Amino acid sequence: MYPSRNPSEITDVEANLQTKKTRQEITPNSTVEIVDIRKTQFSNTNDNLQKLIIDSISKKNVIFEHPDARISAGKGEFELIRSIPTLVLYDDRGLEIFDQITYIPEYYLTNAEINVFEEHANKMVRNYVANGSVLIELGVGSMRKTKYFLDAIVRQNKSVTYYALDLSERTLQECLNVMSAMYPPSTTSKIIFKGLLGTYEDSLEYVRDHVTSSVPKMFMWLGSSIGNLTRNDAASFLGDVTKTVMNVGDTFLCGIDRRNDPAIISLAYNDPHGLTREFTLNGLDHVNEIFGSQRVIERDNFEYVSIYNEVEGRHEAYYRSKQNQKLEFTRNGSIVKIEIIKDELINVEYSYKYSSDEVDDLVHDSKLYSVAKFTDSGHLYDLHLFQKPAFFFPKTANGSHTLVPEISEFQELWKAWDTISMTMIPTALDTPGCKGYLEKPITLRHPFIFYLGHLPSFMDILLSRCLKQKYTEPAYFPTIFERGIDPDVENPEKCHDHSEVPESWPSLEEVIAYRDRVRKRALKIFEMFSEDKSNPKLKRLARTIHMCFEHDAMHLETFLYMLVQFEHIKPPRGVLPPVFDTARPQEVPKSKLITVPSRTVTIGMNDPEKYDLMESKPHPATFGWDVEKPEKHLTVPSFQIQNRVVTVGEYVKFLDFQSWMDSLIPSSWGIDPNFESSATKHMQYGVKSVFGLVPLSAAWNWPVFVSNVQSSAYAAIHGMRLPTESELMSIRQDQRVQLTEKGRLCHANYGFSSWLPKDVKSDNESISSIVGDGWEWTSTILDGLDGFEASELYPGYSKDFFDTKHNVVVRGSWATLPRIAERQSFRNWYQRSYPFVFATFRCCL
């Protein structure tokens, strides 16, 4: 797979010599400073390690599942066993042996990671390493892989400060002295090397206290070292890094091994050279060293046991006792005696492997954002680039949100609004010919400035009416900002009632000052409410707060689909764009028609608004909008539906068949101004995004965003139709049982887990998720459910659109917040001819 470095005949001695050769090729001309940062309770001092070893081996608290349990996915027998801390494996001798392991072909992880760097290091550095950055590598080892990254930094004339963390002072000194000699300062590039002696936890405290927070930082955790932690511990550690030492925009480059063929993984951890066995048993020698003059363990009384647990997706390393024996540990004058029986297993290390869904879980639980994934040519291993986002919206178990949004949710929503509204629109000074916030990229909508005033105005109006208080000054703002326009696409002269349109809009500075005053007022009200939220007298206020939040959330998406139509759009500040591969990818498998059996479904919810004013009535389980009520049950006949939505590539083929009729070309696409005149039609276009035009070839497997009219035309050509709202709800209700263990909806793309759609997933045996990436068009014309009552608080929310021109959409897009995307009863709608929304479709019979 990697013939350039496949030393299949390497012996143990040869591997050792090859390891040391690199270090001796260059004579260091200086000594790099090594800082001992071992301060915390987790540090690898002998006293701490003695305590950890005794605590671990004296207790049976590690679950060991017998092989039959793994076959039956955890339904077999298990027992609790002892453990020894993984840290014992990584003394100087252990690190030397591990370095040898990385040269043998069976241990594919190192060669795969080197291959990733060889293919992608230039791209990584060019796009994601700012000049003057600080790099912090966690656990450097011999730095064989790091060298490829540093080479790219020098080639691109960038300067960085590089902190190397490791448990071995000798390894740090040897490697950093060589590296500092290999990369001397030049007139175009300078790498400053510094060593940190300690654990991961020690490094967080040091970086927090000694690295200027404003300097861009990239953490590097290579070699799939993340696999040595349980999935929960890995997410907890990454979360600590995110919270304590990363600023918005800082990055984390993480090597993660895949759930590969079990045979490949097993061989990697039980090689025929015996190196992994020696590496593991050396840990027992290290235990003896840690306890000084005591010889507490005889390694000859143990053997190495290697198991790949396919269900858990991890390699497991154990010591097996060859005989009955007694261990005796002395620490601080206290003696601990432990009896080990013959064949007893002691766990020493786990190496977790990750599926793509498990990586999604890791990113979510760490409150990070996934920027890019770089894969080796053998498709065995990935380097993931994560980033600390400006805001974060957690997905929840079964949509189990609090009844009323918490203050923290509003704060995250406002961070999102400020990122999008204040960093993505250039001023006239920045871009000649641009009118900034007075631009109107969609002629059927108001200019940007309206939405900046509409959101606080709506909130202020609802709160003032609920509490019978005065409006925030200037009190006339509601007359121009209360309600926007939504004219008939086919006849723009027709439009529902809306606020007066001023001859000139207030200045940006006036609107922002107004927004801040409203937010300040709202926070005081929210704080008052949170102290007495169960009070039945405050039910109307509770509903008002809910409306304020979801109204802001819905318009966030409106603002975004306007922005992607804006020719002068700027990428969101602090969000790194992915690097698009313009080579057309392998197409997803052809969609398959799945038969959905007849079943009774529930549409809507029971949440009578009039109950707000009745103290005897309890709070509802969930608030909803008038168009979601009341709850109704209906039987949906059996039907057939595509297992996934239509892709960009499939729609290109449809356009080819239709000779690229103008009315069928999506408004979500734009013409690339740099296309070659000889280019085929589809190569002239790109998908509009927050990062600019994305070539259709790069977006080939994305869901296509089109109008209802366009999606209906596609379905008709294929002899099919669009599904009804109840048919999609039938699928979605069935998918509620397909939640992950953590309750998040099938790892779907919503809530800004990505700033773009993702490639559709296709499993020919099941229907892909009915949530995320884009809203999904239905053939159902918007109308009130039986028993509909218009909202008293917001009477014009939906009934103005019961005009037979609007169709229901369900699902939610990448920009839909979890409170909305996860609520099964939520109903959205757009005019059938409205072409700008993040809406896709699938066909059915």
Side-chain angles (χ1 to χ4, degrees):
M1 190 172 297
Y2 305 103
S4 62
R5 59 174 61 73
N6 187 21
S8 57
E9 303 301 323
I10 285 182
T11 66
D12 296 355
V13 175
E14 288 171 335
N16 191 35
L17 291 173
Q18 189 170 346
T19 302
K20 293 184 175 180
K21 180 181 178 183
T22 301
R23 299 176 186 169
Q24 296 170 350
E25 281 176 347
I26 299 177
T27 303
N29 53 22
S30 63
T31 300
V32 176
E33 178 188 11
I34 307 296
V35 182
D36 189 340
I37 61 172
R38 296 175 296 179
K39 295 181 180 179
T40 72
Q41 60 177 315
F42 306 103
S43 293
N44 59 325
T45 60
N46 274 1
D47 185 60
N48 281 340
L49 288 175
Q50 286 180 6
K51 182 178 185 303
L52 285 172
I53 291 168
I54 293 173
D55 287 347
S56 298
I57 202 168
S58 61
K59 301 171 185 175
K60 293 185 176 182
N61 55 11
V62 172
I63 295 176
F64 174 76
E65 290 184 335
H66 291 279
D68 61 335
R70 298 192 183 94
I71 295 171
S72 58
K75 295 180 181 178
E77 297 179 358
F78 69 90
E79 63 179 308
L80 294 177
I81 66 172
R82 308 178 196 275
S83 65
I84 292 178
T86 303
L87 277 172
V88 304
L89 301 178
Y90 295 96
D91 65 342
D92 287 339
R93 173 62 179 154
L95 289 169
E96 285 184 0
I97 300 171
F98 184 74
D99 197 31
Q100 296 172 32
I101 291 172
T102 65
Y103 281 92
I104 61 176
E106 293 83 4
Y107 191 77
Y108 62 87
L109 288 82
T110 301
N111 282 340
E113 195 166 62
I114 288 175
N115 178 255
V116 175
F117 277 123
E118 287 179 328
E119 296 295 323
H120 303 290
N122 282 329
K123 187 187 302 180
M124 294 179 194
V125 171
R126 181 172 59 252
N127 292 282
Y128 302 127
V129 177
N131 197 34
S133 292
V134 168
L135 309 181
I136 306 106
E137 184 173 356
L138 307 175
V140 295
S142 66
M143 295 182 66
R144 274 176 64 206
K145 295 162 289 189
T146 311
K147 177 183 178 297
Y148 293 90
F149 201 69
L150 299 181
D151 284 346
I153 288 173
V154 172
R155 278 195 298 269
Q156 296 182 38
N157 299 322
K158 292 186 175 181
S159 296
V160 300
T161 299
Y162 171 79
Y163 286 92
L165 173 79
D166 208 89
L167 297 171
S168 168
E169 183 174 7
R170 189 180 78 181
T171 297
L172 281 172
Q173 199 74 68
E174 287 181 358
C175 294
L176 288 177
N177 287 347
V178 170
M179 286 294 174
S180 66
M182 289 178 65
Y183 301 100
S186 70
T187 56
T188 57
S189 178
K190 181 179 182 181
I191 300 176
I192 300 173
F193 292 91
K194 295 185 179 182
L196 301 177
L197 176 64
T199 64
Y200 297 150
E201 290 79 8
D202 295 323
S203 70
L204 301 189
E205 182 178 343
Y206 181 87
V207 171
R208 183 193 65 206
D209 296 340
H210 295 84
V211 177
T212 304
S213 61
S214 60
V215 175
K217 295 182 289 295
M218 173 183 279
F219 289 84
M220 303 171 68
W221 203 11
L222 307 180
S224 199
S225 296
I226 191 173
N228 293 145
L229 303 182
T230 66
R231 299 193 201 284
N232 286 338
D233 287 345
S236 178
F237 174 68
L238 283 181
D240 287 343
V241 176
T242 305
K243 182 178 179 180
T244 60
V245 295
M246 292 178 77
N247 288 341
V248 171
D250 286 345
T251 55
F252 199 113
L253 186 65
C254 190
I256 301 181
D257 194 19
R258 296 186 179 187
R259 282 186 178 240
N260 293 307
D261 184 327
I264 294 176
I265 294 174
S266 296
L267 189 59
Y269 291 90
N270 197 12
D271 62 275
H273 312 282
L275 285 174
T276 311
R277 181 175 62 253
E278 176 60 26
F279 167 71
T280 307
L281 291 174
N282 176 74
L284 298 179
D285 293 337
H286 187 203
V287 170
N288 287 327
E289 290 180 17
I290 289 168
F291 282 89
S293 59
Q294 307 175 58
R295 186 163 184 83
V296 296
I297 291 182
E298 292 294 336
R299 66 174 276 174
D300 290 344
N301 292 340
F302 292 89
E303 63 183 355
Y304 168 57
V305 175
S306 168
I307 298 174
Y308 180 62
N309 186 331
E310 191 170 354
V311 171
E312 295 294 331
R314 71 186 179 205
H315 176 265
E316 302 169 355
Y318 299 95
Y319 299 113
R320 175 186 282 139
S321 177
K322 296 179 180 179
Q323 61 190 44
N324 294 331
Q325 52 186 307
K326 294 182 180 179
L327 306 181
E328 185 173 300
F329 300 86
T330 302
R331 178 176 178 268
N332 297 335
S334 298
I335 298 176
V336 178
K337 296 182 179 180
I338 301 170
E339 291 192 6
I340 306 294
I341 64 174
K342 186 176 184 296
D343 292 327
E344 182 173 344
L345 292 177
I346 301 173
N347 174 256
V348 67
E349 186 176 44
Y350 289 144
S351 296
Y352 280 85
K353 313 302 174 183
Y354 282 76
S355 66
S356 60
D357 284 347
E358 286 164 338
V359 174
D360 287 346
D361 279 341
L362 174 71
V363 173
H364 177 276
D365 293 345
S366 308
K367 295 187 177 180
L368 287 165
Y369 170 72
S370 182
V371 176
K373 179 178 74 173
F374 303 93
T375 303
D376 72 299
S377 57
H379 301 285
L380 297 172
Y381 188 91
D382 304 299
L383 276 174
H384 294 264
L385 184 68
F386 307 140
Q387 184 178 32
K388 181 171 182 176
F391 52 87
F392 178 80
F393 299 110
K395 300 173 183 178
T396 65
N398 301 305
S400 55
H401 298 271
T402 57
L403 177 64
V404 180
E406 303 288 349
I407 291 175
S408 59
E409 292 181 73
F410 272 97
Q411 291 170 331
E412 290 303 302
L413 177 55
W414 291 341
K415 288 178 188 177
W417 257 109
D418 294 349
T419 297
I420 291 165
S421 65
M422 304 310 296
T423 73
M424 299 180 68
I425 301 173
T427 66
L429 293 177
D430 296 331
T431 307
C434 173
K435 294 184 290 186
Y437 290 85
L438 296 179
E439 289 279 4
K440 193 162 66 167
I442 298 177
T443 57
L444 300 173
R445 295 286 184 185
H446 276 318
F448 292 125
I449 191 69
F450 167 80
Y451 295 90
L452 271 62
H454 175 57
L455 275 294
S457 180
F458 180 91
M459 179 180 292
D460 198 55
I461 290 169
L462 259 63
L463 291 173
S464 295
R465 289 175 180 170
C466 178
L467 299 173
K468 297 180 172 57
Q469 296 176 354
K470 293 182 179 180
Y471 292 158
T472 299
E473 292 295 333
Y476 82 90
F477 266 22
T479 64
I480 60 174
F481 287 126
E482 180 176 6
R483 196 173 191 197
I485 58 173
D486 186 17
D488 189 316
V489 175
E490 295 164 353
N491 182 9
E493 296 299 319
K494 295 173 59 177
C495 189
H496 60 69
D497 292 337
H498 56 81
S499 301
E500 65 179 78
V501 181
E503 291 186 6
S504 62
W505 294 96
S507 69
L508 177 63
E509 292 72 21
E510 289 177 287
V511 174
I512 296 305
Y514 171 69
R515 177 202 70 188
D516 293 345
R517 287 194 295 272
V518 171
R519 285 181 180 177
K520 184 176 181 180
R521 177 198 179 197
L523 283 176
K524 290 181 179 179
I525 295 172
F526 300 161
E527 289 168 0
M528 177 272 292
F529 171 79
S530 64
E531 294 173 358
D532 196 18
K533 61 178 66 176
S534 61
N535 188 339
K537 295 181 180 180
L538 297 180
K539 283 189 293 184
R540 178 52 56 95
L541 178 58
R543 184 181 301 279
T544 298
I545 294 172
H546 154 81
M547 282 186 167
C548 290
F549 182 89
E550 292 202 353
H551 178 265
D552 273 24
M554 287 185 275
H555 275 294
L556 186 68
E557 194 163 344
T558 303
F559 202 82
L560 276 165
Y561 75 64
M562 289 173 59
L563 274 169
V564 299
Q565 297 294 327
F566 185 35
E567 62 177 328
H568 301 301
I569 185 175
K570 295 167 61 178
R573 182 182 299 163
V575 181
L576 290 172
V579 177
F580 299 108
D581 187 351
T582 55
R584 185 187 299 182
Q586 180 179 353
E587 294 191 28
V588 292
K590 185 178 180 181
S591 62
K592 180 180 178 181
L593 283 173
I594 303 292
T595 299
V596 180
S598 174
R599 60 167 64 103
T600 299
V601 302
T602 300
I603 294 180
M605 63 189 304
N606 288 322
D607 169 33
E609 199 171 300
K610 59 187 177 185
Y611 284 5
D612 294 353
L613 306 178
M614 301 178 186
E615 291 187 30
S616 61
K617 298 294 184 180
H619 286 280
T622 306
F623 283 129
W625 298 88
D626 59 12
V627 76
E628 299 176 61
K629 298 177 265 188
E631 181 178 281
K632 60 182 291 190
H633 306 278
L634 53 92
T635 299
V636 179
S638 177
F639 62 99
Q640 289 185 300
I641 191 166
Q642 289 179 316
N643 65 318
R644 59 165 176 78
V645 296
V646 175
T647 65
V648 167
E650 288 168 330
Y651 199 81
V652 165
K653 295 174 184 177
F654 164 67
L655 288 175
D656 286 340
F657 184 73
Q658 296 294 315
S659 302
W660 287 76
M661 190 184 305
D662 287 344
S663 62
L664 296 176
I665 298 174
S667 293
S668 61
W669 299 0
I671 294 179
D672 184 347
N674 300 315
F675 78 86
E676 297 180 5
S677 57
S678 59
T680 56
K681 194 71 174 179
H682 80 265
M683 293 180 67
Q684 301 174 18
Y685 285 86
V687 175
K688 297 173 182 176
S689 81
V690 297
F691 303 113
L693 277 183
V694 178
L696 290 190
S697 55
W700 201 254
N701 291 327
W702 289 5
V704 64
F705 291 163
V706 291
S707 71
N708 183 283
V709 170
Q710 291 167 334
S711 58
S712 296
Y714 179 100
I717 285 292
H718 291 81
M720 293 188 278
R721 60 176 175 84
L722 297 185
T724 64
E725 177 185 11
S726 57
E727 286 171 335
L728 287 184
M729 292 305 294
S730 172
I731 298 169
R732 184 167 182 179
Q733 284 183 197
D734 183 55
Q735 289 182 346
R736 301 297 291 189
V737 301
Q738 299 179 27
L739 302 179
T740 68
E741 289 181 358
K742 302 186 181 184
R744 294 194 290 278
L745 288 172
C746 306
H747 303 91
N749 179 23
Y750 61 95
F752 289 88
S753 55
S754 172
W755 284 74
L756 296 165
K758 293 184 178 181
D759 286 358
V760 302
K761 294 182 178 180
S762 182
D763 177 354
N764 283 339
E765 303 307 316
S766 62
I767 299 173
S768 65
S769 177
I770 306 290
V771 65
D773 278 319
W775 295 92
E776 196 157 334
W777 281 111
T778 75
S779 60
T780 300
I781 295 173
L782 178 69
D783 201 353
L785 301 177
D786 291 343
F788 169 83
E789 293 180 358
S791 169
E792 295 177 11
L793 285 174
Y794 190 2
Y797 173 72
S798 63
K799 68 177 184 179
D800 288 351
F801 306 99
F802 298 166
D803 56 7
T804 73
K805 292 198 171 189
H806 291 75
N807 276 42
V808 174
V809 293
V810 299
R811 180 174 165 133
S813 80
W814 58 267
T816 306
L817 266 59
R819 271 191 176 269
I820 294 173
E822 292 174 358
R823 188 164 76 243
Q824 189 167 303
S825 63
F826 188 84
R827 307 175 78 208
N828 200 0
W829 64 89
Y830 295 103
Q831 290 184 61
R832 285 187 293 280
S833 298
Y834 196 64
F836 305 111
V837 296
F838 303 143
T840 186
F841 70 101
R842 72 184 80 201
C843 305
C844 73
L845 289 173

